[in-house]
Amino acid sequence: MKEELDKRIQAFAECLYESKHPVVFTGAGISTESGLPDFRGPDGMWTRRDKGLPPRPMTEPWDSVEPNAGHHAIVDLQQLGKLAFLISQNVDNLHLKSGINPDLLAELHGNIAKLRCTRCGKKVDKSNDALTCECGGHLVRSVVDFGESLPEKDLMLSFEHSRKCDLFVVVGSSLVVTPAADMPAEALRSGARLIIINQGETPFDHHAHLRFHEDIGEVLPKALKRLKGFMGLFE
């Protein structure tokens, strides 16, 4: 079993090394190792809701939660020039906390730490306590509620990079919420390889070139270490 996982991690690292325009797509599953709940896992928020159970209580406030090894591995990809774009369904601010370049990030569902200008769309830190943007527009919460439209610029860039990529890596998403779940289909239509790291099943499992059900923290850091070896950056 360990040998088979090792072969998949080796193949993952080779895909990263060969890729010219890799895109990473993250869902709630990447943040569970930081102590945040996911949605569709065995004890996820929506799973508990469907069972008539309340959400699992948080042990600490959302804004005090820190990025984990999975988040830091994606930052390593950025530093190695192996991250063309990062698409996230998460609102927890952990990608920005970990050091991701905001210009390489689309947060499709907003961010609990950011406010959004209703006029120009600019995002500002919630901690600034500002009510209006520099352009004069009104600042509102950036988190997207059910039924609301996703941020236009983030959505446009996400589809654009999904079509341009040659490698699409899904990390911790069940890929059932649209339009975000349409993005791996766009990547596949463009001829990209698809890699999925998620404990639960997804509708794209039979299309994946590599499939990992293991913990994200077990897979991503090891793949990054192999990638660095390919690049001559031995630790």
Side-chain angles (χ1 to χ4, degrees):
M1 193 72 175
K2 184 178 181 299
E3 185 178 338
E4 191 270 338
L5 172 59
D6 192 64
K7 286 180 179 177
R8 278 183 287 134
I9 289 174
Q10 180 78 1
F12 183 10
E14 289 173 358
C15 288
L16 287 167
Y17 181 66
E18 294 167 1
S19 177
K20 303 299 182 188
H21 198 97
V23 168
V24 176
F25 179 101
T26 64
I30 194 174
S31 297
T32 56
E33 290 167 44
S34 290
L36 294 178
D38 62 7
F39 292 96
R40 297 183 183 277
D43 199 36
M45 293 174 68
W46 292 343
T47 305
R48 291 179 64 88
R49 180 200 62 187
D50 293 345
K51 293 178 179 177
L53 299 172
R56 181 166 52 86
M58 290 283 295
T59 55
E60 56 184 321
W62 277 61
D63 56 4
S64 66
V65 175
E66 294 298 324
N68 60 54
H71 296 99
H72 292 304
I74 296 173
V75 174
D76 282 347
L77 282 176
Q78 171 185 273
Q79 293 170 340
L80 292 170
K82 286 295 181 179
L83 179 68
F85 203 66
L86 172 60
I87 305 165
S88 184
Q89 296 173 291
N90 300 339
V91 301
D92 52 36
N93 197 42
L94 293 183
H95 282 307
L96 289 175
K97 263 190 178 182
S98 68
I100 284 293
N101 179 350
D103 293 336
L104 299 183
L105 172 66
E107 293 179 304
L108 296 177
H109 297 159
N111 185 317
I112 57 169
K114 301 286 183 181
L115 296 174
R116 175 182 55 82
C117 176
T118 55
R119 179 183 291 180
C120 70
K122 181 180 177 181
K123 293 174 186 173
V124 301
D125 287 342
K126 197 175 180 180
S127 59
N128 292 343
D129 294 325
L131 298 177
T132 56
C133 179
E134 294 173 349
C135 75
H138 184 53
L139 293 173
V140 298
R141 66 196 292 265
S142 68
V143 175
V144 178
D145 289 325
F146 282 107
E148 292 183 345
S149 299
L150 300 188
E152 187 176 334
K153 181 181 177 183
D154 291 60
L155 193 60
M156 179 195 70
L157 286 171
S158 297
F159 274 112
E160 179 184 321
H161 283 282
S162 296
R163 295 184 187 110
K164 286 169 62 176
C165 77
D166 54 6
L167 178 65
F168 194 95
V169 183
V170 175
V171 183
S173 175
S174 57
L175 298 176
V176 294
V177 178
T178 57
D182 296 329
M183 291 167 193
E186 291 288 339
L188 286 166
R189 274 193 287 269
S190 299
R193 290 172 174 172
L194 175 63
I195 296 175
I196 300 175
I197 311 170
N198 192 63
Q199 290 190 341
E201 294 181 358
T202 85
F204 287 87
D205 284 356
H206 60 292
H207 295 294
H209 294 74
L210 286 169
R211 183 63 169 91
F212 296 89
H213 290 89
E214 293 81 6
D215 289 344
I216 294 161
E218 183 180 3
V219 175
L220 267 183
K222 289 179 180 177
L224 259 293
K225 188 173 182 179
R226 300 282 178 88
L227 172 62
K228 288 177 182 178
F230 291 147
M231 299 176 76
L233 304 171
F234 298 99
E235 297 177 348

